Amino acid sequence: MKIFSIICTRDSKLNAITKALLDRLSSFGIIVKILANQSSIFTAYQKGLDLCDAAPHDIVIFCHDDLQILSEKIPFIRALAPCVKADTGIVGPAGTTFLGKDAIWWKQDRWAAGLHRGIVKHISKGQPTQVHNNDSLMITPTSYGPHGQVVALDGLFLAARKEVWDKIGLDKPTYFEGLWDFYDIHYTTSAHLAGYKNYTVDIDIIHHSNGELVGRDSWHKNREAFIANTKLPLKL
């Protein structure tokens, strides 16, 4: 079994974070494909999947370019182990067991109710932590809940067998206007509705972003289109 990773980035001249991510994944024996200056996340991920020439049982990761992997190789590979099970769909660091009629997975009230799963570290005014590029960064763990099965996952890191990606399809739904938004909710709920089990898994990861793009018009338009075309809520 091989593991591939597809990373989209705005510039073919990689910044320090993206280069470190590429080097880190490559050091784990993962085959990394970088796609720069793409017109759409949907077409980019399909293009990347085609470039991999992966077998149906191979694992393919789609991840953001602003991640820092803190996990060592063995724990990282072990975290992906659920992917090999025939009934597993998509795995990632964070998600929810309940996607409400608003289609916003990270809603605070559901977080407080214990419906979310996983953990992701973010840059903030937390305690300083030494990371792999020898810079001292201020990071805070965002703990959503214990790892387990979910209906939807955050798109910062998504891993699945190639046959799962092929079955759910990576093309942009015709009802989406935006080219870069809500792909994660579409992909992961499609896997859930197809009968697969999605899971959050224990990957020690820093996301160098606080979700500013959620405020853009295309995110809201795609969310509204998703709501109009999906029977919500979705829950375990």
Side-chain angles (χ1 to χ4, degrees):
M1 182 192 72
K2 295 179 180 178
I3 303 176
F4 299 84
S5 182
I6 313 302
I7 302 171
C8 288
T9 189
R10 290 187 177 90
D11 194 340
S12 57
K13 185 178 180 180
L14 306 182
N15 63 33
I17 293 173
T18 305
K19 187 177 186 304
L21 174 62
L22 187 159
D23 292 344
R24 185 76 170 160
L25 292 172
S26 296
S27 75
F28 292 170
I30 295 170
I31 302 165
V32 183
K33 304 290 184 182
I34 300 285
L35 286 84
N37 301 314
Q38 299 298 303
S39 60
S40 163
I41 193 71
F42 300 94
T43 56
Y45 279 163
Q46 183 61 63
K47 184 187 297 184
L49 189 65
D50 294 340
L51 286 172
C52 288
D53 193 26
H57 61 277
D58 288 338
I59 295 173
V60 180
I61 301 165
F62 297 131
C63 68
H64 288 191
D65 65 349
D66 58 351
L67 302 182
Q68 194 160 10
I69 306 293
L70 304 184
S71 297
E72 297 298 332
K73 178 179 179 179
I74 292 176
F76 182 88
I77 301 300
R78 186 183 298 128
L80 299 180
C83 288
V84 304
K85 297 180 180 179
D87 64 348
T88 297
I90 304 170
V91 307
T96 188
T97 64
F98 181 92
L99 189 67
K101 293 184 177 182
D102 53 16
I104 301 175
W105 84 259
W106 36 261
K107 289 284 291 208
Q108 292 284 336
D109 57 339
R110 292 162 202 155
W111 188 352
L115 297 176
H116 298 343
R117 299 285 180 265
I119 184 169
V120 178
K121 292 176 178 175
H122 293 96
I123 304 301
S124 71
K125 295 181 180 180
Q127 295 297 316
T129 298
Q130 197 73 17
V131 295
H132 290 286
N133 63 359
N134 295 320
D135 292 331
S136 185
L137 297 178
M138 305 293 281
I139 66 172
T140 295
T142 304
S143 181
Y144 297 103
H147 289 298
Q149 187 180 350
V150 293
V151 300
L153 290 153
D154 189 278
L156 79 163
F157 182 106
L158 301 171
R161 299 185 311 283
K162 180 182 182 291
E163 62 187 1
V164 173
W165 295 124
D166 286 340
K167 182 170 182 177
I168 66 173
L170 299 178
D171 290 341
K172 181 178 73 67
T174 56
Y175 50 80
F176 276 1
E177 290 185 37
L179 300 174
W180 294 91
D181 301 292
F182 240 70
Y183 66 93
D184 49 355
I185 304 303
H186 169 63
Y187 288 163
T188 57
T189 57
S190 292
H192 170 74
L193 291 170
Y196 290 114
K197 295 178 181 178
N198 300 327
Y199 295 96
T200 64
V201 293
D202 187 12
I203 296 173
D204 194 1
I205 196 168
I206 298 175
H207 191 199
H208 289 256
S209 168
N210 289 311
E212 294 88 351
L213 295 181
V214 166
R216 64 188 180 187
D217 287 345
S218 59
W219 184 87
H220 289 287
K221 288 180 179 178
N222 278 11
R223 181 177 73 91
E224 291 166 3
F226 177 85
I227 292 169
N229 287 274
T230 308
K231 187 177 181 179
L232 296 170
L234 297 174
K235 56 185 178 180
L236 294 180

